[in-house]
Amino acid sequence: MSARIASIEVLPASRSRHLKHCIANCRHGEVGSRETTRGTDVKDPHDQPELPTPAPHGATAVTASITALILGPPTGIAGIMWVLYMVVAIEDHAREYHTREYSEIGGYNTDLIVMGIVAVVIGLTWSVGGSLLLAYMKTGRFLLILASGVALIVSIAQLFNRGFTFLFIPIIVSLLILVLCAVPATGRWIVANEPEPNPLAHDQDRD
């Protein structure tokens, strides 16, 4: 009888110990999980959030485009007037000096006629290139660089050849447009604002 009572008393004690051990393990697991969670939440003080890259400004591209659009038409008109003036002047000289042939006088002034024709082409190219550049097209940048480079070379050549002081104006304008279009900021502005290709248009082309 006493043995049964002892076994009955021992059995609840072992269960209580087992229960306490389970509770301790559960608490230890919770603490570990909390520490793990805290460890994952801790941020490295050296890690800094990435700042958004600022969009490239189009000051150079817009300035070059506006300058080309403003001065393009007057340059073309001035070229046409210059060619007409030179043709009339050659005819007048041929009539005045009968000892000289028309071809001889015209050959002497051929570079001046070519300068007027080049001015017409440059004025037209500036107008088209400025419009295309404002539409974020690389072709506009290429046309402005090409036209400005040709205008710069022709103007400098005629300045040393003929000594025309008024050619300082096209030299400065051509150099300004050339530099503004050639700087990397203009290229980044075009790439950042370049229109994305329309996938529907590609599908239609395939059909």
Side-chain angles (χ1 to χ4, degrees):
M1 186 67 178
S2 59
R4 291 181 179 178
I5 294 172
S7 63
I8 292 173
E9 292 177 356
V10 170
L11 187 60
S14 62
R15 288 182 178 178
S16 62
R17 291 177 183 176
H18 179 68
L19 183 60
K20 290 180 181 180
H21 181 69
C22 291
I23 292 173
N25 289 335
C26 291
R27 290 180 178 177
H28 179 72
E30 290 178 358
V31 172
S33 62
R34 290 177 183 176
E35 292 179 354
T36 303
T37 305
R38 291 177 182 176
T40 56
D41 293 338
V42 175
K43 295 182 179 180
D44 189 356
H46 297 287
D47 293 338
Q48 297 180 356
E50 296 182 358
L51 298 176
T53 304
H57 60 82
T60 56
V62 173
T63 304
S65 301
I66 297 300
T67 304
L69 288 174
I70 292 176
L71 298 179
T75 301
I77 295 173
I80 295 174
M81 299 299 294
W82 180 262
V83 172
L84 294 177
Y85 170 77
M86 290 307 304
V87 171
V88 173
I90 291 173
E91 291 181 352
D92 292 340
H93 280 78
R95 292 173 184 176
E96 184 177 356
Y97 299 98
H98 298 287
T99 58
R100 293 185 180 181
E101 295 181 356
Y102 179 85
S103 59
E104 182 181 354
I105 300 174
Y108 177 74
N109 296 314
T110 301
D111 60 328
L112 298 179
I113 298 177
V114 172
M115 185 178 69
I117 296 174
V118 171
V120 175
V121 176
I122 290 173
L124 180 61
T125 307
W126 274 349
S127 301
V128 176
S131 301
L132 294 178
L133 184 57
L134 287 178
Y136 315 115
M137 298 183 66
K138 297 179 181 178
T139 307
R141 183 189 185 191
F142 172 76
L143 290 177
L144 291 181
I145 292 176
L146 178 62
S148 300
V150 173
L152 186 62
I153 295 173
V154 172
S155 300
I156 293 176
Q158 285 297 94
L159 177 64
F160 286 100
N161 185 27
R162 295 285 184 170
F164 295 146
T165 56
F166 66 87
L167 290 175
F168 281 108
I169 298 176
I171 289 175
I172 295 174
V173 173
S174 302
L175 185 61
L176 175 63
I177 297 176
L178 180 63
V179 171
L180 290 176
C181 291
V183 294
T186 301
R188 291 194 297 266
W189 180 76
I190 295 174
V191 173
N193 297 279
E194 191 175 9
E196 297 180 357
N198 188 2
L200 298 178
H202 292 286
D203 294 339
Q204 292 177 358
D205 294 337
R206 292 178 181 176
D207 297 339

